[in-house]
Amino acid sequence: MNAPRSARSPVVAIALDAMSPMLLEAWLDAGHAPVLARLRREGALGRLGKSDWDPNEASWSIFLQGASPGRTGMWGHLHFDAAAYDYRELPIYEGWSQPPFYQRAPHARVAVLDIPFASPERRVDGVQVLGWGPEANQFLRVSQPPELMPELVQRHGAHPAYDGLGQRKVGTRDGAPVLSFRVPSLYDEAALSRLEHDMLEGIRRRGAILEDLLRRERWDLLLAAFAEPHVCGHMLWHFGLPHPMHVPVAQPSLLRVFQAIDGALGRLLQALPDDATLVLFSVSGMKENCTDVPLTLFLPEALLRLEFGQAGLAEGVAGTPVPPPSMHYRRHWKDEVWALRTPFGERMLESPDAQGRRGDALDWNPTNWSRPLWPRMRAFVLPSYLQGMIRINVTGREGAGVVDPSAFGAECDRVEALLRGLVDARTGRALVRDVVRTRSQPFDTGLGNHPADLLVIWTDADATDCVEGPGIGRIGPVPQFRSGGHAQTGFCIARGPGIPAGSALRDDARVVDLSATLVQAMGVTPPPSMEGRPLW
């Protein structure tokens, strides 16, 4: 039942997308962000968790739906058709099959800015601005009403990092261009410096847009995201923070980004109603990147070698001294990795250039280059963004299956043995912490009808560039992709009526609890379909 509108206090919820809670807490303790430190003293602080097998690409759907993928079946924005071996990254602007939580309060006035994986909802009473400056592989610049986006761009400017050289057009939808943002090489310090400059200016402009929206009316909910911590966390982590490619600087680049957001929030507070609840949060975190290269390169290459007995990419000599990491890479990561192909890889893999000409948004991902081989393999890797996702090619389930259903368990055992034998060639430490079987039989729905049969959970021990395994030899050394990688844990800082000053969230707080909290703050009882319990 909806509360009378006059009884509601406004809620302003702003994501610092993929901001590391570890860094946030350390920098607050060090006094680097006075605005956020004040909000922490006047309200509550805590971390928000998810399960190990919740995919990072589902983090925003978990938040928007208030339910885990095991309940919703929304395991991410990647779609796999087993009959055709068709695997596509669904554009984030297509939204989800279920409405977002803020649509559950039909009489609430809502403003939305750049929330990932949200699409304009006709039944939302208010304004929605999506694609001004997101962290996304494919996005549209759209708004509701349609004239609002060009008005905001004219008044405050476009996001500098998402225009010009950083932008490419990857398609059209209803006559509008589908855009993509391509990050520079991790080894090009001049380009990364320009990226940081553009992101800092983007923070300033985004803050001005938020102030503009906040002053237009008294919203029941203003929900927005700063995408800059996500982009900069991936690309600038090694500028002042621990990483094998560490670049010593007086002040870490991510700290400058953090302080720029702190300043933008300080200006925003001046426009905030006195009785408003302010919630700052992230639905995932960031850390030294120990997963991107194992996930997108080592894992598919290991299964390729297991299947065909030959190397496709980055063939090394096991047991020999590992050469020092090279720093000469300048091209986009996909081009540098493709240059490491063997004659077998040249014949068997589909090149990123060929995939790019076809408009495949996953052309950058080496996992995607082996797609033509999937019908011939007993097990293959599906592209993903955190956990490894392995599919067994089962007769009667996949279009050209080669593994008899009765051998499903044995094939899972064979692949798991390979995975548990993978080690960092530099340190000897294991690469894989756990292998989760999502179903016991190939035709079971298993873990919420997960598309993968096996989930690979990494140890996160090292940002390695070279691995070895029994029967597959050495893979690497290879260039690093991004220096910052995804982490499962997010955070929440909240201040407002009913939130005790200087308090902490409960230890088991989860992302779905924040969704339930915001629904309750909008005057609506969280429905049974939402899993979370309000945090205050």
Side-chain angles (χ1 to χ4, degrees), residues 391-433:
R391 184 88 176 183
I392 307 300
N393 193 10
V394 177
T395 303
R397 187 182 70 171
E398 273 68 25
V402 296
V403 175
D404 189 273
S406 64
F408 176 78
E411 185 61 28
C412 289
D413 292 341
R414 186 176 78 105
V415 173
E416 182 171 347
L418 167 73
L419 299 174
R420 294 192 182 277
L422 293 176
V423 299
D424 182 341
R426 295 191 184 276
T427 67
R429 286 196 281 261
L431 215 63
V432 174
R433 173 164 60 88

mmCIF file of all heavy atoms in Angstrom, residues 391-433:
data_model
loop_
_atom_site.group_PDB
_atom_site.id
_atom_site.type_symbol
_atom_site.label_atom_id
_atom_site.label_comp_id
_atom_site.label_asym_id
_atom_site.label_seq_id
_atom_site.Cartn_x
_atom_site.Cartn_y
_atom_site.Cartn_z
ATOM 1 N N ARG A 391 30.591 -24.487 -20.593
ATOM 2 C CA ARG A 391 29.445 -25.258 -21.065
ATOM 3 C C ARG A 391 29.940 -26.596 -21.620
ATOM 4 O O ARG A 391 30.909 -26.644 -22.394
ATOM 5 C CB ARG A 391 28.740 -24.471 -22.176
ATOM 6 C CG ARG A 391 27.476 -25.097 -22.705
ATOM 7 C CD ARG A 391 26.269 -24.686 -21.930
ATOM 8 N NE ARG A 391 25.049 -25.259 -22.540
ATOM 9 C CZ ARG A 391 23.830 -25.021 -22.091
ATOM 10 N NH1 ARG A 391 23.649 -24.216 -21.048
ATOM 11 N NH2 ARG A 391 22.790 -25.554 -22.676
ATOM 12 N N ILE A 392 29.285 -27.681 -21.211
ATOM 13 C CA ILE A 392 29.570 -28.999 -21.774
ATOM 14 C C ILE A 392 28.700 -29.171 -23.019
ATOM 15 O O ILE A 392 27.504 -28.887 -22.989
ATOM 16 C CB ILE A 392 29.288 -30.115 -20.754
ATOM 17 C CG1 ILE A 392 30.032 -29.845 -19.425
ATOM 18 C CG2 ILE A 392 29.683 -31.471 -21.332
ATOM 19 C CD1 ILE A 392 31.525 -29.753 -19.555
ATOM 20 N N ASN A 393 29.294 -29.624 -24.096
ATOM 21 C CA ASN A 393 28.621 -29.721 -25.399
ATOM 22 C C ASN A 393 27.866 -31.054 -25.492
ATOM 23 O O ASN A 393 28.364 -32.048 -26.014
ATOM 24 C CB ASN A 393 29.669 -29.597 -26.503
ATOM 25 C CG ASN A 393 29.050 -29.371 -27.867
ATOM 26 O OD1 ASN A 393 27.858 -29.129 -27.995
ATOM 27 N ND2 ASN A 393 29.886 -29.464 -28.905
ATOM 28 N N VAL A 394 26.642 -31.061 -24.961
ATOM 29 C CA VAL A 394 25.885 -32.293 -24.720
ATOM 30 C C VAL A 394 24.997 -32.631 -25.913
ATOM 31 O O VAL A 394 24.266 -31.771 -26.425
ATOM 32 C CB VAL A 394 25.034 -32.155 -23.445
ATOM 33 C CG1 VAL A 394 24.182 -33.398 -23.227
ATOM 34 C CG2 VAL A 394 25.931 -31.912 -22.235
ATOM 35 N N THR A 395 25.032 -33.875 -26.333
ATOM 36 C CA THR A 395 24.156 -34.362 -27.389
ATOM 37 C C THR A 395 22.693 -34.235 -26.956
ATOM 38 O O THR A 395 22.329 -34.618 -25.843
ATOM 39 C CB THR A 395 24.464 -35.841 -27.710
ATOM 40 O OG1 THR A 395 25.845 -35.961 -28.063
ATOM 41 C CG2 THR A 395 23.597 -36.349 -28.856
ATOM 42 N N GLY A 396 21.868 -33.682 -27.826
ATOM 43 C CA GLY A 396 20.457 -33.517 -27.526
ATOM 44 C C GLY A 396 20.127 -32.226 -26.823
ATOM 45 O O GLY A 396 18.952 -31.861 -26.697
ATOM 46 N N ARG A 397 21.133 -31.516 -26.342
ATOM 47 C CA ARG A 397 20.918 -30.209 -25.712
ATOM 48 C C ARG A 397 21.527 -29.116 -26.574
ATOM 49 O O ARG A 397 20.864 -28.153 -26.922
ATOM 50 C CB ARG A 397 21.520 -30.177 -24.307
ATOM 51 C CG ARG A 397 21.195 -28.923 -23.517
ATOM 52 C CD ARG A 397 21.857 -28.907 -22.145
ATOM 53 N NE ARG A 397 23.308 -28.740 -22.222
ATOM 54 C CZ ARG A 397 24.093 -28.524 -21.171
ATOM 55 N NH1 ARG A 397 23.564 -28.483 -19.949
ATOM 56 N NH2 ARG A 397 25.406 -28.385 -21.307
ATOM 57 N N GLU A 398 22.805 -29.271 -26.912
ATOM 58 C CA GLU A 398 23.443 -28.368 -27.863
ATOM 59 C C GLU A 398 23.124 -28.830 -29.288
ATOM 60 O O GLU A 398 22.851 -30.021 -29.524
ATOM 61 C CB GLU A 398 24.957 -28.346 -27.644
ATOM 62 C CG GLU A 398 25.417 -27.337 -26.600
ATOM 63 C CD GLU A 398 24.996 -27.675 -25.182
ATOM 64 O OE1 GLU A 398 24.771 -28.859 -24.892
ATOM 65 O OE2 GLU A 398 24.889 -26.760 -24.360
ATOM 66 N N GLY A 399 23.184 -27.896 -30.221
ATOM 67 C CA GLY A 399 22.788 -28.205 -31.595
ATOM 68 C C GLY A 399 23.606 -29.306 -32.245
ATOM 69 O O GLY A 399 23.081 -30.088 -33.041
ATOM 70 N N ALA A 400 24.895 -29.376 -31.943
ATOM 71 C CA ALA A 400 25.764 -30.406 -32.522
ATOM 72 C C ALA A 400 26.543 -31.092 -31.402
ATOM 73 O O ALA A 400 27.754 -31.286 -31.501
ATOM 74 C CB ALA A 400 26.716 -29.787 -33.547
ATOM 75 N N GLY A 401 25.863 -31.438 -30.335
ATOM 76 C CA GLY A 401 26.511 -31.974 -29.143
ATOM 77 C C GLY A 401 27.370 -33.193 -29.428
ATOM 78 O O GLY A 401 27.033 -34.025 -30.273
ATOM 79 N N VAL A 402 28.479 -33.301 -28.706
ATOM 80 C CA VAL A 402 29.408 -34.426 -28.906
ATOM 81 C C VAL A 402 29.596 -35.252 -27.633
ATOM 82 O O VAL A 402 30.258 -36.300 -27.680
ATOM 83 C CB VAL A 402 30.782 -33.913 -29.407
ATOM 84 C CG1 VAL A 402 30.652 -33.260 -30.773
ATOM 85 C CG2 VAL A 402 31.418 -32.957 -28.403
ATOM 86 N N VAL A 403 29.035 -34.801 -26.514
ATOM 87 C CA VAL A 403 29.174 -35.537 -25.251
ATOM 88 C C VAL A 403 27.842 -36.202 -24.931
ATOM 89 O O VAL A 403 26.807 -35.529 -24.805
ATOM 90 C CB VAL A 403 29.587 -34.592 -24.099
ATOM 91 C CG1 VAL A 403 29.605 -35.349 -22.764
ATOM 92 C CG2 VAL A 403 30.948 -33.967 -24.378
ATOM 93 N N ASP A 404 27.847 -37.515 -24.795
ATOM 94 C CA ASP A 404 26.627 -38.227 -24.441
ATOM 95 C C ASP A 404 26.155 -37.776 -23.058
ATOM 96 O O ASP A 404 26.979 -37.569 -22.159
ATOM 97 C CB ASP A 404 26.882 -39.734 -24.436
ATOM 98 C CG ASP A 404 25.600 -40.520 -24.284
ATOM 99 O OD1 ASP A 404 25.192 -40.761 -23.119
ATOM 100 O OD2 ASP A 404 25.011 -40.882 -25.314
ATOM 101 N N PRO A 405 24.844 -37.589 -22.854
ATOM 102 C CA PRO A 405 24.360 -37.148 -21.535
ATOM 103 C C PRO A 405 24.856 -38.023 -20.396
ATOM 104 O O PRO A 405 25.090 -37.522 -19.288
ATOM 105 C CB PRO A 405 22.839 -37.223 -21.682
ATOM 106 C CG PRO A 405 22.583 -37.033 -23.149
ATOM 107 C CD PRO A 405 23.746 -37.687 -23.841
ATOM 108 N N SER A 406 25.050 -39.325 -20.654
ATOM 109 C CA SER A 406 25.525 -40.207 -19.585
ATOM 110 C C SER A 406 26.972 -39.908 -19.189
ATOM 111 O O SER A 406 27.420 -40.294 -18.110
ATOM 112 C CB SER A 406 25.419 -41.662 -20.027
ATOM 113 O OG SER A 406 26.273 -41.912 -21.143
ATOM 114 N N ALA A 407 27.709 -39.201 -20.066
ATOM 115 C CA ALA A 407 29.109 -38.878 -19.783
ATOM 116 C C ALA A 407 29.269 -37.453 -19.260
ATOM 117 O O ALA A 407 30.401 -36.973 -19.126
ATOM 118 C CB ALA A 407 29.944 -39.061 -21.042
ATOM 119 N N PHE A 408 28.160 -36.812 -18.951
ATOM 120 C CA PHE A 408 28.201 -35.410 -18.518
ATOM 121 C C PHE A 408 29.061 -35.253 -17.267
ATOM 122 O O PHE A 408 29.943 -34.389 -17.204
ATOM 123 C CB PHE A 408 26.775 -34.913 -18.257
ATOM 124 C CG PHE A 408 26.687 -33.525 -17.711
ATOM 125 C CD1 PHE A 408 26.839 -32.420 -18.532
ATOM 126 C CD2 PHE A 408 26.418 -33.303 -16.357
ATOM 127 C CE1 PHE A 408 26.732 -31.128 -18.031
ATOM 128 C CE2 PHE A 408 26.315 -32.017 -15.842
ATOM 129 C CZ PHE A 408 26.479 -30.938 -16.689
ATOM 130 N N GLY A 409 28.836 -36.084 -16.264
ATOM 131 C CA GLY A 409 29.592 -35.983 -15.021
ATOM 132 C C GLY A 409 31.073 -36.230 -15.229
ATOM 133 O O GLY A 409 31.922 -35.529 -14.665
ATOM 134 N N ALA A 410 31.403 -37.230 -16.068
ATOM 135 C CA ALA A 410 32.807 -37.536 -16.329
ATOM 136 C C ALA A 410 33.488 -36.380 -17.046
ATOM 137 O O ALA A 410 34.659 -36.073 -16.780
ATOM 138 C CB ALA A 410 32.915 -38.818 -17.151
ATOM 139 N N GLU A 411 32.781 -35.729 -17.959
ATOM 140 C CA GLU A 411 33.367 -34.584 -18.670
ATOM 141 C C GLU A 411 33.576 -33.413 -17.714
ATOM 142 O O GLU A 411 34.594 -32.713 -17.786
ATOM 143 C CB GLU A 411 32.471 -34.169 -19.837
ATOM 144 C CG GLU A 411 33.042 -33.061 -20.708
ATOM 145 C CD GLU A 411 34.357 -33.444 -21.362
ATOM 146 O OE1 GLU A 411 34.592 -34.655 -21.609
ATOM 147 O OE2 GLU A 411 35.170 -32.534 -21.628
ATOM 148 N N CYS A 412 32.634 -33.193 -16.811
ATOM 149 C CA CYS A 412 32.821 -32.160 -15.791
ATOM 150 C C CYS A 412 34.053 -32.465 -14.947
ATOM 151 O O CYS A 412 34.843 -31.564 -14.627
ATOM 152 C CB CYS A 412 31.581 -32.058 -14.901
ATOM 153 S SG CYS A 412 30.124 -31.327 -15.699
ATOM 154 N N ASP A 413 34.239 -33.747 -14.586
ATOM 155 C CA ASP A 413 35.416 -34.140 -13.812
ATOM 156 C C ASP A 413 36.696 -33.840 -14.582
ATOM 157 O O ASP A 413 37.685 -33.355 -14.007
ATOM 158 C CB ASP A 413 35.369 -35.641 -13.490
ATOM 159 C CG ASP A 413 34.256 -36.007 -12.510
ATOM 160 O OD1 ASP A 413 33.760 -35.101 -11.814
ATOM 161 O OD2 ASP A 413 33.882 -37.195 -12.465
ATOM 162 N N ARG A 414 36.706 -34.157 -15.866
ATOM 163 C CA ARG A 414 37.907 -33.958 -16.695
ATOM 164 C C ARG A 414 38.279 -32.475 -16.754
ATOM 165 O O ARG A 414 39.442 -32.098 -16.590
ATOM 166 C CB ARG A 414 37.651 -34.497 -18.101
ATOM 167 C CG ARG A 414 38.867 -34.482 -19.013
ATOM 168 C CD ARG A 414 38.522 -35.121 -20.349
ATOM 169 N NE ARG A 414 37.782 -34.206 -21.195
ATOM 170 C CZ ARG A 414 38.319 -33.572 -22.251
ATOM 171 N NH1 ARG A 414 39.590 -33.764 -22.570
ATOM 172 N NH2 ARG A 414 37.581 -32.775 -22.982
ATOM 173 N N VAL A 415 37.274 -31.620 -16.974
ATOM 174 C CA VAL A 415 37.533 -30.188 -17.062
ATOM 175 C C VAL A 415 37.964 -29.640 -15.711
ATOM 176 O O VAL A 415 38.899 -28.830 -15.611
ATOM 177 C CB VAL A 415 36.286 -29.453 -17.595
ATOM 178 C CG1 VAL A 415 36.488 -27.947 -17.516
ATOM 179 C CG2 VAL A 415 35.985 -29.888 -19.023
ATOM 180 N N GLU A 416 37.303 -30.089 -14.638
ATOM 181 C CA GLU A 416 37.657 -29.596 -13.314
ATOM 182 C C GLU A 416 39.090 -29.961 -12.956
ATOM 183 O O GLU A 416 39.815 -29.154 -12.346
ATOM 184 C CB GLU A 416 36.686 -30.133 -12.264
ATOM 185 C CG GLU A 416 36.983 -29.599 -10.881
ATOM 186 C CD GLU A 416 35.919 -29.940 -9.853
ATOM 187 O OE1 GLU A 416 34.816 -30.388 -10.247
ATOM 188 O OE2 GLU A 416 36.183 -29.747 -8.650
ATOM 189 N N ALA A 417 39.528 -31.161 -13.324
ATOM 190 C CA ALA A 417 40.919 -31.559 -13.047
ATOM 191 C C ALA A 417 41.900 -30.629 -13.753
ATOM 192 O O ALA A 417 42.927 -30.244 -13.187
ATOM 193 C CB ALA A 417 41.136 -33.003 -13.487
ATOM 194 N N LEU A 418 41.583 -30.254 -14.989
ATOM 195 C CA LEU A 418 42.432 -29.305 -15.709
ATOM 196 C C LEU A 418 42.492 -27.968 -14.978
ATOM 197 O O LEU A 418 43.567 -27.396 -14.774
ATOM 198 C CB LEU A 418 41.892 -29.102 -17.126
ATOM 199 C CG LEU A 418 42.491 -27.913 -17.897
ATOM 200 C CD1 LEU A 418 43.913 -28.219 -18.337
ATOM 201 C CD2 LEU A 418 41.619 -27.556 -19.096
ATOM 202 N N LEU A 419 41.329 -27.473 -14.574
ATOM 203 C CA LEU A 419 41.257 -26.157 -13.947
ATOM 204 C C LEU A 419 42.032 -26.120 -12.639
ATOM 205 O O LEU A 419 42.751 -25.155 -12.356
ATOM 206 C CB LEU A 419 39.796 -25.778 -13.706
ATOM 207 C CG LEU A 419 38.907 -25.663 -14.945
ATOM 208 C CD1 LEU A 419 37.458 -25.419 -14.547
ATOM 209 C CD2 LEU A 419 39.397 -24.551 -15.861
ATOM 210 N N ARG A 420 41.902 -27.164 -11.851
ATOM 211 C CA ARG A 420 42.575 -27.173 -10.549
ATOM 212 C C ARG A 420 44.083 -27.353 -10.688
ATOM 213 O O ARG A 420 44.816 -27.124 -9.721
ATOM 214 C CB ARG A 420 41.966 -28.253 -9.659
ATOM 215 C CG ARG A 420 40.504 -27.954 -9.276
ATOM 216 C CD ARG A 420 39.998 -28.840 -8.184
ATOM 217 N NE ARG A 420 38.592 -28.591 -7.856
ATOM 218 C CZ ARG A 420 38.169 -27.632 -7.036
ATOM 219 N NH1 ARG A 420 39.051 -26.822 -6.460
ATOM 220 N NH2 ARG A 420 36.871 -27.477 -6.781
ATOM 221 N N GLY A 421 44.543 -27.732 -11.875
ATOM 222 C CA GLY A 421 45.980 -27.866 -12.101
ATOM 223 C C GLY A 421 46.627 -26.611 -12.657
ATOM 224 O O GLY A 421 47.861 -26.570 -12.806
ATOM 225 N N LEU A 422 45.857 -25.570 -12.954
ATOM 226 C CA LEU A 422 46.421 -24.339 -13.504
ATOM 227 C C LEU A 422 47.136 -23.557 -12.409
ATOM 228 O O LEU A 422 46.589 -23.332 -11.326
ATOM 229 C CB LEU A 422 45.320 -23.467 -14.112
ATOM 230 C CG LEU A 422 44.610 -24.014 -15.358
ATOM 231 C CD1 LEU A 422 43.492 -23.069 -15.777
ATOM 232 C CD2 LEU A 422 45.600 -24.214 -16.502
ATOM 233 N N VAL A 423 48.370 -23.128 -12.691
ATOM 234 C CA VAL A 423 49.148 -22.358 -11.713
ATOM 235 C C VAL A 423 49.771 -21.152 -12.394
ATOM 236 O O VAL A 423 50.034 -21.142 -13.598
ATOM 237 C CB VAL A 423 50.255 -23.209 -11.048
ATOM 238 C CG1 VAL A 423 49.664 -24.382 -10.296
ATOM 239 C CG2 VAL A 423 51.275 -23.686 -12.091
ATOM 240 N N ASP A 424 50.007 -20.124 -11.588
ATOM 241 C CA ASP A 424 50.755 -18.962 -12.033
ATOM 242 C C ASP A 424 52.202 -19.400 -12.284
ATOM 243 O O ASP A 424 52.877 -19.883 -11.378
ATOM 244 C CB ASP A 424 50.679 -17.883 -10.945
ATOM 245 C CG ASP A 424 51.388 -16.587 -11.319
ATOM 246 O OD1 ASP A 424 52.228 -16.600 -12.227
ATOM 247 O OD2 ASP A 424 51.092 -15.563 -10.673
ATOM 248 N N ALA A 425 52.671 -19.214 -13.520
ATOM 249 C CA ALA A 425 54.015 -19.686 -13.853
ATOM 250 C C ALA A 425 55.101 -18.908 -13.127
ATOM 251 O O ALA A 425 56.232 -19.390 -13.002
ATOM 252 C CB ALA A 425 54.233 -19.591 -15.364
ATOM 253 N N ARG A 426 54.780 -17.718 -12.623
ATOM 254 C CA ARG A 426 55.780 -16.907 -11.914
ATOM 255 C C ARG A 426 55.870 -17.273 -10.430
ATOM 256 O O ARG A 426 56.926 -17.177 -9.832
ATOM 257 C CB ARG A 426 55.451 -15.424 -12.069
ATOM 258 C CG ARG A 426 55.556 -14.919 -13.500
ATOM 259 C CD ARG A 426 55.476 -13.393 -13.566
ATOM 260 N NE ARG A 426 55.490 -12.923 -14.951
ATOM 261 C CZ ARG A 426 56.580 -12.727 -15.674
ATOM 262 N NH1 ARG A 426 57.764 -12.969 -15.123
ATOM 263 N NH2 ARG A 426 56.515 -12.307 -16.917
ATOM 264 N N THR A 427 54.735 -17.664 -9.834
ATOM 265 C CA THR A 427 54.723 -17.898 -8.390
ATOM 266 C C THR A 427 54.440 -19.342 -8.009
ATOM 267 O O THR A 427 54.689 -19.744 -6.872
ATOM 268 C CB THR A 427 53.661 -17.012 -7.715
ATOM 269 O OG1 THR A 427 52.352 -17.433 -8.142
ATOM 270 C CG2 THR A 427 53.863 -15.543 -8.069
ATOM 271 N N GLY A 428 53.868 -20.119 -8.919
ATOM 272 C CA GLY A 428 53.470 -21.485 -8.608
ATOM 273 C C GLY A 428 52.158 -21.592 -7.864
ATOM 274 O O GLY A 428 51.719 -22.693 -7.528
ATOM 275 N N ARG A 429 51.493 -20.451 -7.605
ATOM 276 C CA ARG A 429 50.231 -20.485 -6.869
ATOM 277 C C ARG A 429 49.083 -20.885 -7.786
ATOM 278 O O ARG A 429 49.070 -20.552 -8.978
ATOM 279 C CB ARG A 429 49.954 -19.136 -6.212
ATOM 280 C CG ARG A 429 50.829 -18.872 -5.002
ATOM 281 C CD ARG A 429 50.262 -17.728 -4.170
ATOM 282 N NE ARG A 429 50.577 -16.442 -4.748
ATOM 283 C CZ ARG A 429 51.571 -15.671 -4.337
ATOM 284 N NH1 ARG A 429 52.358 -16.065 -3.355
ATOM 285 N NH2 ARG A 429 51.787 -14.494 -4.905
ATOM 286 N N ALA A 430 48.082 -21.568 -7.197
ATOM 287 C CA ALA A 430 46.926 -22.033 -7.963
ATOM 288 C C ALA A 430 46.122 -20.848 -8.484
ATOM 289 O O ALA A 430 46.005 -19.805 -7.830
ATOM 290 C CB ALA A 430 46.048 -22.920 -7.100
ATOM 291 N N LEU A 431 45.539 -21.018 -9.657
ATOM 292 C CA LEU A 431 44.733 -19.976 -10.274
ATOM 293 C C LEU A 431 43.263 -20.076 -9.856
ATOM 294 O O LEU A 431 42.567 -19.067 -9.803
ATOM 295 C CB LEU A 431 44.836 -20.093 -11.796
ATOM 296 C CG LEU A 431 44.832 -18.805 -12.618
ATOM 297 C CD1 LEU A 431 46.056 -17.964 -12.273
ATOM 298 C CD2 LEU A 431 44.822 -19.129 -14.109
ATOM 299 N N VAL A 432 42.805 -21.295 -9.563
ATOM 300 C CA VAL A 432 41.381 -21.551 -9.333
ATOM 301 C C VAL A 432 41.148 -21.923 -7.873
ATOM 302 O O VAL A 432 41.812 -22.813 -7.334
ATOM 303 C CB VAL A 432 40.880 -22.674 -10.262
ATOM 304 C CG1 VAL A 432 39.438 -23.057 -9.926
ATOM 305 C CG2 VAL A 432 40.984 -22.223 -11.724
ATOM 306 N N ARG A 433 40.203 -21.215 -7.239
ATOM 307 C CA ARG A 433 39.842 -21.513 -5.849
ATOM 308 C C ARG A 433 38.751 -22.559 -5.762
ATOM 309 O O ARG A 433 38.760 -23.414 -4.875
ATOM 310 C CB ARG A 433 39.385 -20.235 -5.138
ATOM 311 C CG ARG A 433 38.836 -20.460 -3.737
ATOM 312 C CD ARG A 433 38.752 -19.183 -2.946
ATOM 313 N NE ARG A 433 37.898 -18.182 -3.542
ATOM 314 C CZ ARG A 433 36.582 -18.091 -3.325
ATOM 315 N NH1 ARG A 433 35.970 -18.969 -2.554
ATOM 316 N NH2 ARG A 433 35.888 -17.125 -3.874
#
